[in-house]
Amino acid sequence: MTFENRELIEQIFLFINKIIFLEKRNIFQLRGAKLYPSEIHLIMFINKDRDSNATRMAEKLGLTKGAVSQTLTRLDKKGIVRKTKDPFNKNELTVSFTPFGKEVIEAYLKTLKGIHEQFDRYLSSLREEERAVIKKFIGHIEIMIDSLSP
Amino acid sequence: MTFENRELIEQIFLFINKIIFLEKRNIFQLRGAKLYPSEIHLIMFINKDRDSNATRMAEKLGLTKGAVSQTLTRLDKKGIVRKTKDPFNKNELTVSFTPFGKEVIEAYLKTLKGIHEQFDRYLSSLREEERAVIKKFIGHIEIMIDSLSP
DNA sequence: AATCAGTGTTAAGCACATAAACACTGAGGA
DNA sequence: TCCTCAGTGTTTATGTGCTTAACACTGATT
């Protein structure tokens, strides 16, 4: 490779590989319950967007309805959510959290907050221009990625 | 959330999610052959480190021997690699690429090079201090990640 | 009443990974 | 020489996570 920034580019791609590797193994446990990445992902989505039905969840998460349905079923079995149907609209599904589900969310958000605090401490230690560089950098990579996968 | 850098932190995490999402669907195709992420990953590793046996591949990739064995078997079936055993050392495995396997590597490296060129162009457009900020940023995140998952 | 678009579910199938039991090889010691 | 044993790669069962495609059901339109 003959790139001027070979070293930095390699560092970036090694970093991305590391993220991907860790994400697959990112299992959250609470009182005997094991929550896997896709489950946590869905839980967090629902927690932020209470009014989506399963189809809209699938669309917004970039998954198929089937995938969402299956994950919801598993979350139901684990006692995290309850799938309910409005008797006046038996077509769509509304998902609500059980008390345990709410505990899970709280616990997960707590650990997430810890991580965010670490990021915040680091970012706050930088100068405004430096943060701007990072912001632009991420934005630029996203544009490059989007141009690759239509 | 009450972080000073809430917006930037959210951008970072959305970016990471995007990367993870795309990686799962990153299928490389060449003349009818479909290569999946784990297969490409292994191919590229072997291409850089010809002398590893399967056990060492597993160690360096952070996988189990079983996983590597299975992926190698699939790559063999697809006509990408050949698993051979030295008659004077029937214990270990040596993996070599078929002509088609070499073609796959070449083609994949070519697309990778295109992506790297895009990165290079962008990074070259920055000032040296800006690149240093990015380098330090990634390094710092890696340290944070490592401190979380021992 | 019939149609139809939209809802969620299910079954089959594949990728990817682990754990654990396996079989085999080769080297060192009794 | 025989035995043990650490190290090799393989296989089976299991599980997550996803897609595709066929399904069944609901409710509104015609």
Side-chain angles (χ1 to χ4, degrees):
Chain A
M1 282 199 279
T2 58
F3 300 118
E4 269 186 62
N5 307 289
R6 202 197 84 252
E7 208 184 315
L8 182 49
I9 292 172
E10 278 177 9
Q11 192 193 355
I12 292 168
F13 280 85
L14 281 176
F15 169 67
I16 289 174
N17 279 342
K18 192 171 201 166
I19 294 274
I20 290 163
F21 179 83
L22 289 175
E23 214 277 336
K24 287 186 202 164
R25 291 152 183 85
N26 179 30
I27 297 162
F28 183 74
Q29 309 211 30
L30 185 68
R31 301 222 319 271
K34 274 190 181 184
L35 280 291
Y36 292 88
S38 73
E39 294 168 348
I40 284 286
H41 198 198
L42 185 55
I43 289 172
M44 288 302 121
F45 176 83
I46 297 170
N47 189 47
K48 285 219 169 183
D49 186 345
R50 294 305 245 273
D51 301 326
S52 276
N53 61 32
T55 299
R56 265 199 289 167
M57 289 178 202
E59 282 168 5
K60 295 194 187 174
L61 290 169
L63 301 173
T64 59
K65 293 180 300 176
V68 170
S69 177
Q70 288 165 30
T71 304
L72 283 177
T73 300
R74 246 184 304 143
L75 288 175
D76 196 315
K77 274 186 196 152
K78 291 187 181 184
I80 310 280
V81 303
R82 283 284 102 86
K83 298 193 282 184
T84 53
K85 274 180 183 166
D86 183 347
F88 298 108
N89 181 4
K90 292 191 215 164
N91 215 1
E92 296 184 31
L93 201 65
T94 53
V95 178
S96 57
F97 290 105
T98 64
F100 180 54
K102 286 172 189 168
E103 255 184 88
V104 167
I105 291 173
E106 207 178 321
Y108 185 76
L109 284 178
K110 200 174 161 189
T111 73
L112 205 58
K113 198 185 167 195
I115 295 168
H116 283 195
E117 272 167 5
Q118 282 195 45
F119 271 80
D120 195 51
R121 267 198 298 280
Y122 173 65
L123 293 171
S124 294
S125 77
L126 301 179
R127 285 178 291 120
E128 182 57 38
E129 311 96 80
E130 295 176 318
R131 281 192 291 272
V133 169
I134 292 168
K135 192 179 173 66
K136 260 180 56 189
F137 171 64
I138 293 171
H140 204 91
I141 295 186
E142 291 206 72
I143 291 169
M144 283 198 275
I145 288 173
D146 291 343
S147 74
L148 290 174
S149 59
Chain B
M1 283 200 280
T2 57
F3 300 116
E4 268 185 63
N5 306 291
R6 201 197 85 253
E7 208 183 314
L8 182 50
I9 292 172
E10 277 177 9
Q11 193 193 355
I12 293 168
F13 280 85
L14 281 176
F15 168 67
I16 288 174
N17 279 342
K18 192 172 202 165
I19 294 274
I20 290 163
F21 179 82
L22 290 175
E23 214 277 337
K24 286 186 203 164
R25 290 152 184 83
N26 178 31
I27 297 161
F28 183 74
Q29 310 211 28
L30 185 68
R31 303 223 318 269
K34 276 189 179 182
L35 280 290
Y36 292 88
S38 72
E39 294 167 349
I40 284 286
H41 198 198
L42 184 55
I43 289 171
M44 287 302 122
F45 176 82
I46 297 170
N47 190 46
K48 285 218 170 185
D49 186 345
R50 294 305 246 273
D51 301 327
S52 277
N53 60 32
T55 299
R56 266 199 288 169
M57 289 179 203
E59 282 169 5
K60 294 195 187 171
L61 290 169
L63 301 173
T64 58
K65 294 179 301 176
V68 170
S69 177
Q70 288 166 34
T71 304
L72 284 177
T73 299
R74 246 183 306 141
L75 287 174
D76 196 317
K77 274 186 195 152
K78 291 188 181 185
I80 311 279
V81 304
R82 284 283 104 85
K83 297 194 280 183
T84 54
K85 274 180 182 164
D86 184 346
F88 298 110
N89 181 4
K90 292 192 215 165
N91 214 3
E92 296 183 31
L93 201 66
T94 52
V95 179
S96 57
F97 290 105
T98 64
F100 180 55
K102 287 173 188 166
E103 256 185 88
V104 166
I105 292 172
E106 207 178 323
Y108 185 76
L109 284 178
K110 200 174 161 188
T111 73
L112 204 59
K113 197 184 167 196
I115 295 168
H116 283 195
E117 272 166 5
Q118 282 195 47
F119 272 79
D120 195 51
R121 269 198 297 281
Y122 172 65
L123 293 171
S124 295
S125 78
L126 302 178
R127 284 178 291 121
E128 183 57 39
E129 310 95 80
E130 295 176 316
R131 280 192 292 273
V133 169
I134 292 168
K135 191 179 174 64
K136 258 180 56 188
F137 172 65
I138 293 171
H140 204 91
I141 296 185
E142 290 206 73
I143 289 169
M144 283 197 276
I145 288 173
D146 291 342
S147 75
L148 290 173
S149 59

